[in-house]
Amino acid sequence: MELGSATVGVIGGTGPQGRGLAFRWARAGLRVIIGSRDAARAGATAAELADLAGVRTVTGAANAECAAEADLVLVAVPWEGHAATVAGLRAPLAGKIVIDCVNPIGFDKQGPYPLQVTEGSAAQQAAILLPDSVVTAAFHHVSAVLLADSSLDKIDTDVLVLGDDRDAVGVVTELAAAIPGVRGIYGGRLRNAGQVEALTANLIAINRRYSAHAGIRITDV
Amino acid sequence: MELGSATVGVIGGTGPQGRGLAFRWARAGLRVIIGSRDAARAGATAAELADLAGVRTVTGAANAECAAEADLVLVAVPWEGHAATVAGLRAPLAGKIVIDCVNPIGFDKQGPYPLQVTEGSAAQQAAILLPDSVVTAAFHHVSAVLLADSSLDKIDTDVLVLGDDRDAVGVVTELAAAIPGVRGIYGGRLRNAGQVEALTANLIAINRRYSAHAGIRITDV
């Protein structure tokens, strides 16, 4: 796949993480479709992003239409709705690269902690529910606050890209690198996605302690 | 505790991770005791480190003696021996800060993957087995190869320090920062140690793909 001519769909694109990534990809010149359960909400978010300086082609659609029209698709829904949303998109996502960025995290009085996932991770759950797609995992740790801040030209972080299909990992790595400042780094097979998702709990703890929007960089790469 | 006057014990100090950290702490001017099941092996490793340029006071002892004499103690044994070794040191470790750096990682034909730990993590297992100690978790991702390379003056990495006792986390953070180039960063409560240990599988996958000795840096902190 040539990334430059690809259309990126963002399932759950009205939420902070999906919206932020959609904004950055659109600003990088990619064609982006915002997906939502509610097509009208998706259209409203797309219109907001299209108004922002430098953003080219962003449109909105219901999730199923978004999945059907896009060439590669980010799943950025809340964990609570993950299994149902993903399972419902099996047909339109068939044959496509799917990128799961969902973090199953809980909160209690002691702060954030990772939720147990029967399949091992949200990404592995998606892979089981989408046997006709190529599922990867990436973009777990990119701060939605920084993504949304249009005064920031660059995001200072690496994106770990996990997956068992080397070509798909390559495309998603390019998609990460399309955001200025970001590197896409291969981060292991999909079975190693659980700890990457769970590490979000640590980053939230770091953000609270240091009043930061923490990300990670891999050294010596 | 004043770190400058503290003696650091390294249980499993003849293995690559423990040896490498002992070397760096000794070179930073800290008093270090190498612990091993075999006191003679501990003494031999200590003598090797003492010969290296710039290293001051390193001695060797059996693990129990190392634990008894040190003020704060790193546990750096293989995961296979973790529970038995830690449980056997409950008395000499009482009242002390314990730092667990053990990574429960398995390997098969597809590469590295995290082992399931009933207690959630090696560090939580240690906390259960050492109810009279203050258990923290840190130093999971520091490359043993880089630590051992005496031509390197600095190690380019952050160390995530996890724990529920803020004073202990502070001491361990200082211990990390005693190694030139390293920052100690609070990484969350001990219940969030599992994914930090497991992330070692991702770093091993990264090392294999990129021929690197990968570490992590936290951005925006």
Side-chain angles (χ1 to χ4, degrees):
Chain A
M1 182 187 294
E2 286 295 316
L3 185 65
S5 58
T7 297
V8 183
V10 180
I11 305 299
T14 59
Q17 195 74 10
R19 187 185 193 282
L21 287 166
F23 169 53
R24 294 290 165 173
W25 288 325
R27 195 154 86 162
L30 293 168
R31 192 175 142 69
V32 178
I33 306 173
I34 300 279
S36 169
R37 281 176 299 183
D38 178 348
R41 279 193 68 205
T45 294
E48 286 166 27
L49 295 182
D51 276 349
L52 289 169
V55 169
R56 300 195 199 172
T57 319
V58 196
T59 55
N63 280 330
E65 190 185 334
C66 166
E69 292 196 3
D71 301 302
L72 69 170
V73 180
L74 179 78
V75 175
V77 298
W79 167 241
E80 293 71 35
H82 183 263
T85 301
V86 168
L89 298 172
R90 176 173 172 176
L93 290 176
K96 296 182 178 175
I97 296 172
V98 173
I99 309 150
D100 202 300
C101 75
V102 174
N103 296 312
I105 302 290
F107 292 87
D108 62 16
K109 279 187 294 184
Q110 297 202 320
Y113 63 95
L115 298 172
Q116 292 298 314
V117 179
T118 306
E119 297 84 352
S121 62
Q124 286 164 290
Q125 185 185 76
I128 290 168
L129 295 170
L130 300 172
D132 312 313
S133 305
V134 179
V135 175
T136 64
F139 303 104
H140 305 89
H141 306 145
V142 193
S143 161
V145 173
L146 300 184
L147 287 171
D149 183 346
S150 60
S151 73
L152 289 178
D153 289 332
K154 290 186 177 184
I155 308 288
D156 175 20
T157 197
D158 288 338
V159 165
L160 292 178
V161 180
L162 295 98
D164 299 338
D165 182 297
R166 195 149 178 161
D167 291 340
V169 165
V171 171
V172 178
T173 300
E174 275 188 74
L175 186 64
I179 303 172
V182 173
R183 294 191 306 173
I185 306 266
Y186 172 67
R189 287 175 174 270
L190 208 64
R191 68 173 179 178
N192 281 314
Q195 58 266 28
V196 174
E197 297 172 1
L199 193 71
T200 303
N202 303 81
L203 295 175
I204 294 168
I206 290 169
N207 288 344
R208 291 180 174 187
R209 175 67 60 93
Y210 298 99
S211 300
H213 300 295
I216 69 167
R217 285 284 192 195
I218 302 298
T219 58
D220 199 39
V221 170
Chain B
M1 181 186 295
E2 286 295 317
L3 185 65
S5 59
T7 297
V8 185
V10 181
I11 305 298
T14 59
Q17 195 75 8
R19 188 185 192 283
L21 288 166
F23 170 54
R24 294 290 165 174
W25 288 325
R27 194 154 92 163
L30 293 169
R31 194 176 139 70
V32 178
I33 306 174
I34 300 280
S36 170
R37 282 177 298 184
D38 178 350
R41 277 193 69 204
T45 295
E48 286 167 25
L49 295 182
D51 276 349
L52 288 169
V55 168
R56 300 193 199 172
T57 318
V58 196
T59 55
N63 280 331
E65 190 185 333
C66 167
E69 292 194 4
D71 301 303
L72 68 170
V73 180
L74 179 78
V75 175
V77 297
W79 168 242
E80 294 71 35
H82 182 262
T85 301
V86 167
L89 297 172
R90 176 173 172 179
L93 290 176
K96 296 180 178 176
I97 296 172
V98 173
I99 310 148
D100 204 301
C101 75
V102 173
N103 296 313
I105 302 291
F107 291 87
D108 63 15
K109 278 187 294 184
Q110 296 201 322
Y113 64 95
L115 299 172
Q116 292 299 315
V117 178
T118 307
E119 297 85 353
S121 61
Q124 285 165 289
Q125 184 186 76
I128 290 168
L129 295 170
L130 300 172
D132 312 313
S133 306
V134 180
V135 175
T136 64
F139 302 105
H140 305 87
H141 305 145
V142 193
S143 161
V145 173
L146 300 183
L147 287 171
D149 183 347
S150 59
S151 74
L152 290 177
D153 289 332
K154 292 186 175 182
I155 308 288
D156 176 21
T157 196
D158 288 339
V159 164
L160 293 178
V161 180
L162 295 98
D164 299 339
D165 181 296
R166 193 145 179 166
D167 292 340
V169 165
V171 170
V172 178
T173 300
E174 275 188 73
L175 186 63
I179 302 171
V182 173
R183 295 190 307 173
I185 306 265
Y186 172 67
R189 288 176 173 270
L190 208 64
R191 68 174 178 177
N192 282 314
Q195 58 268 26
V196 175
E197 297 172 0
L199 192 71
T200 304
N202 304 82
L203 294 176
I204 293 168
I206 290 168
N207 288 344
R208 290 179 174 186
R209 175 67 60 93
Y210 298 99
S211 300
H213 300 295
I216 68 166
R217 286 283 191 195
I218 302 298
T219 59
D220 200 38
V221 170

